[in-house]
Amino acid sequence: MTTAVYLASASPRRKELLSQLGIEFEQFSVDADETPLANEQPHALVERLARLKAQTGVALGYTDRPVLGSDTVVVIDNESLGKPRDKNDFITTLKRLSGNTHQVLTAVAFATQTDVLSCVVSTDVTFKTLSDEEINSYWESNEPQDKAGGYGIQGLGGRFVTHIAGSYFAVVGLPLYETEQLLQAFLRR
Ligand SMILES: Cc1cn([C@H]2C[C@H](O)[C@@H](COP(=O)(O)OP(=O)(O)OP(=O)(O)O)O2)c(=O)[nH]c1=O
């Protein structure tokens, strides 16, 4: 694919993943209010935020290429979990994930001044049962703080995962196959 895009994201993981598609891109960060709306379902939330990030990039003046925005949340019992607010929030979250299967939803959106197209990818991730000691020492590693659901599958958190069904790349922050498909569909419109 020869088209160049913008990546509206501060995430180093998304930058690395997008590089894997071999697409030329420039990255900039956008400030989006990620607060869920009242009664907003997880699927609707991630898709809205991915679109918001992409469209905020367009509004900032990045108008000569499609702008890619993305968002990731962890879902358990139909509740969306973003980055942990603090250590207590993290401990509560990891105890909920322990010994259970949760979903990671990642949305991708492409936007220009006239158009926006998005998709949501859902991946099932199963955790082994975690001890209090494992949870506490994981917090001290500083890895959980900036990650949805308080873990990184690509880092020390990978030890907790017994099974994954779906896109590993979506869990890390950008589904490779679906992002390429979405861009192709966007360019055909
Ligand atoms: C579950 C999980 C999430 N994450 C990351 C992906 C996302 O970067 C982050 C969720 O936060 P997001 O708000 O989706 O993204 P971000 O703040 O990192 O970047 P930006 O909004 O500027 O694009 O959690 C991992 O890196 N590994 C994991 O296993």
Side-chain angles (χ1 to χ4, degrees), residues 8-11 13-14 29-30 34 53 70-74 83 104 146-149 151-154 171-173:
S9 171
S11 164
R13 277 108 28 192
R14 294 203 169 110
S29 57
V30 290
E34 305 205 9
K53 290 175 189 179
S70 186
D71 194 71
T72 301
V73 293
V74 159
K83 298 167 189 172
V104 178
D146 67 341
K147 301 193 177 62
Y151 75 92
I153 196 171
Q154 72 275 33
V171 178
V172 184

Side-chain angles (χ1 to χ4, degrees), residues 4-186:
V5 302
Y6 288 112
L7 173 62
S9 171
S11 164
R13 277 108 28 192
R14 294 203 169 110
K15 180 183 181 189
E16 209 178 303
L17 288 163
L18 190 56
S19 306
Q20 283 186 252
L21 287 185
I23 299 170
E24 189 193 328
F25 69 92
E26 265 177 57
Q27 183 176 19
F28 60 88
S29 57
V30 290
D31 232 347
D33 180 357
E34 305 205 9
T35 316
L37 305 174
N39 302 318
E40 190 172 27
Q41 293 297 301
H43 188 288
L45 170 69
V46 275
E47 193 157 33
R48 181 176 64 78
L49 293 179
R51 284 175 167 242
L52 178 64
K53 290 175 189 179
Q55 289 174 317
T56 302
V58 174
L60 286 171
Y62 295 92
T63 53
D64 58 326
R65 307 168 177 187
V67 179
L68 190 170
S70 186
D71 194 71
T72 301
V73 293
V74 159
V75 182
I76 191 148
D77 304 326
N78 207 37
E79 192 183 323
S80 311
L81 306 174
K83 298 167 189 172
R85 284 186 297 278
D86 51 33
K87 187 175 179 185
N88 282 338
D89 185 39
F90 161 80
I91 291 171
T92 308
T93 296
L94 271 272
K95 284 189 171 171
R96 288 177 77 181
L97 301 183
S98 172
N100 286 315
T101 299
H102 64 270
Q103 283 71 46
V104 178
L105 295 186
T106 291
V108 183
F110 283 102
T112 55
Q113 279 171 303
T114 52
D115 218 358
V116 59
L117 190 66
S118 53
C119 70
V120 178
V121 176
S122 177
T123 306
D124 288 341
V125 180
T126 306
F127 268 34
K128 69 171 186 169
T129 301
L130 304 173
S131 67
D132 290 350
E133 165 59 24
E134 275 174 313
I135 294 175
N136 274 303
S137 65
Y138 186 42
W139 177 258
E140 301 307 326
S141 75
N142 289 326
E143 183 177 282
Q145 281 80 345
D146 67 341
K147 301 193 177 62
Y151 75 92
I153 196 171
Q154 72 275 33
L156 296 168
R159 290 167 301 156
F160 304 153
V161 176
T162 59
H163 189 258
I164 165 171
S167 168
Y168 170 82
F169 304 109
V171 178
V172 184
L174 194 73
L176 296 184
Y177 169 75
E178 291 83 353
T179 298
E180 184 171 62
Q181 295 292 308
L182 189 71
L183 180 57
Q184 283 168 357
F186 188 75

